[in-house]
Amino acid sequence: MRNIAVLTSGGDAPGMNAAIRAVVRTGLANGLTVWGVEDGYAGLIEGSFRRLGTRDVGSIIQRGGTILGSARCMPFQTPEGRELAIRRLHGAGIEGLVVIGGNGSQAGAHALQQMGFASVGVASTIDNDLFGSDVTIGVDTALNVALNAIDNLKVTASSHRRALLVEVMGRKCGYLALMAGIAGGAEAIVLPEVLVEPEAIAQRIQAAYDRGKPHAIVVVAEGAKYNAGRLCEAFQQRNLLVGYEIRSTVLGYVQRGAVPTCADRLLGTRLGSEAVAQMVAGHTGLLVGMCRGELVTTPLETVVNGVKPLDPWFLKAADVLAQ
Ligand code: ATP
């Protein structure tokens, strides 16, 4: 293999640039030519490739987002779209592809591999919902952004004796909410994985009030049945009393664009570098991830069919520690 390409796909995640840099420099060190694909699978279909040298990835390790751009691309989900993408890759003489992204992106990598195009995935999504990696690129930074916000909101909540609902990202996965809730000392955490009725959450907030807490912080996952907006509505419509005045804040995309933490820069570097090592060794059709602190590979077939559950220890701890 002499020519490989790298793309970033799905939601951008802090640390993607570290992974791109590692792919490029490890590839060059192995005598490969490395191409960057612009805007994820959309760029693959359009043939938007640019050759990347070592200087092209200089001074990007500290930057959030992705220098290659990312996109959500519907045409790639059709066989015709993927056939066109493979024709573009062959046309440019590219023989292997590194896909940096989350669940959907790895489903795309798997589909390419099944059609005979050598692909290796790198686990990257702030949602941390990807099977095959305990932790994915971007999670640590997103968590720290959420924590900063929670710490700040707690100050104002205390000053005004308020309950604050803080909605964090994560799509259908409650990982960010659970971890930010525990590390941020939340009084209650609302997750997509555990259905809790508004009455039970109101009771929990009221109990904090009765115990004399100056504030109550409820961390709510955006994918929960009752997200922050629906929870506020339910409290009003059902006349649920919680003691405090209630306010809600949706953190949204602010969690995505931050400067990557040291942990995300190192994770991006390790996973990106290992992806090239696997490709050079002729091992493709797999995801490179990190489990129990070690680099691991998992077949993309297993990744796309796997479901990563929340850690039961943290789920239990969330209840005990909120007292
Ligand atoms: P994040 O977790 O950050 O949202 P993601 O990789 O899960 O990232 P998606 O929007 O689900 O983000 O997927 C990114 C792109 O991957 C899609 O726009 C599409 O082009 C491609 N893709 C998704 N699912 C499939 C599939 N089943 N087959 C082929 N391609 C897919």
Side-chain angles (χ1 to χ4, degrees):
M1 197 177 283
R2 305 209 55 80
N3 276 281
I4 64 166
V6 55
L7 62 78
T8 49
S9 167
D12 66 325
M16 276 182 160
N17 282 329
I20 296 168
R21 175 177 175 271
V23 168
V24 171
R25 292 193 176 166
T26 309
L28 294 174
N30 280 278
L32 304 176
T33 298
V34 186
W35 299 84
V37 182
E38 279 164 15
D39 303 331
Y41 291 123
L44 218 49
I45 286 177
E46 282 155 23
S48 306
F49 309 134
R50 63 179 144 122
R51 192 171 168 170
L52 295 173
T54 187
R55 294 320 318 146
D56 295 315
V57 291
S59 238
I60 66 167
I61 196 166
Q62 75 280 14
R63 283 162 57 185
T66 157
I67 60 154
L68 292 175
S70 187
R72 308 212 190 251
C73 172
M74 293 309 283
F76 188 76
Q77 300 205 28
T78 65
E80 299 73 33
R82 291 195 293 276
E83 275 158 20
L84 177 55
I86 291 176
R87 280 203 300 281
R88 298 278 197 205
L89 286 161
H90 285 154
I94 296 165
E95 301 144 287
L97 178 68
V98 176
V99 174
I100 303 170
N103 262 321
S105 306
Q106 302 311 335
H110 177 51
L112 283 178
Q113 180 77 27
Q114 281 187 314
M115 291 168 79
F117 197 86
S119 306
V120 173
V122 167
S124 174
T125 162
I126 68 160
D127 304 335
N128 207 24
D129 56 353
L130 190 58
F131 189 86
S133 198
D134 288 348
V135 68
T136 50
I137 296 169
V139 171
D140 187 66
T141 308
L143 265 180
N144 279 297
V145 172
L147 270 180
N148 270 336
I150 291 168
D151 291 348
N152 292 347
L153 290 166
K154 210 179 237 188
V155 172
T156 188
S158 284
S159 304
H160 294 273
R161 287 188 73 79
R162 281 182 183 153
L164 259 166
L165 310 182
V166 188
E167 185 177 297
V168 300
M169 291 183 99
R171 296 178 105 177
K172 287 280 160 210
C173 176
Y175 181 89
L176 276 185
L178 181 59
M179 295 304 167
I182 291 178
E187 277 62 41
I189 303 172
V190 183
L191 305 169
E193 292 85 351
V194 185
L195 178 61
V196 186
E197 288 301 323
E199 284 75 6
I201 300 162
Q203 267 173 22
R204 202 155 244 253
I205 302 173
Q206 180 74 54
Y209 185 82
D210 294 342
R211 283 199 302 278
K213 286 201 177 192
H215 59 252
I217 298 288
V218 182
V219 177
V220 185
E222 67 176 356
K225 179 178 176 196
Y226 292 98
N227 63 10
R230 285 194 283 267
L231 206 50
C232 277
E233 252 171 51
F235 286 164
Q236 270 181 357
Q237 283 169 359
R238 302 183 197 182
N239 277 327
L240 298 174
L241 298 178
V242 296
Y244 309 89
E245 244 188 276
I246 292 215
R247 293 285 186 279
S248 76
T249 298
V250 177
L251 297 187
Y253 290 113
V254 77
Q255 289 153 100
R256 280 255 256 267
V259 167
T261 58
C262 178
D264 275 327
R265 296 182 202 192
L266 294 178
L267 184 64
T269 300
R270 287 187 79 182
L271 300 192
S273 194
E274 181 63 16
V276 175
Q278 291 292 336
M279 197 153 270
V280 167
H283 303 151
T284 62
L286 43 83
L287 175 86
V288 177
M290 180 78 72
C291 288
R292 296 175 185 266
E294 301 285 336
L295 286 169
V296 291
T297 59
T298 309
L300 285 169
E301 169 101 52
T302 312
V303 170
V304 300
N305 293 311
V307 176
K308 184 158 79 178
L310 290 177
D311 185 327
W313 189 92
F314 281 108
L315 274 173
K316 205 165 157 212
D319 267 351
V320 176
L321 299 174
Q323 302 303 315

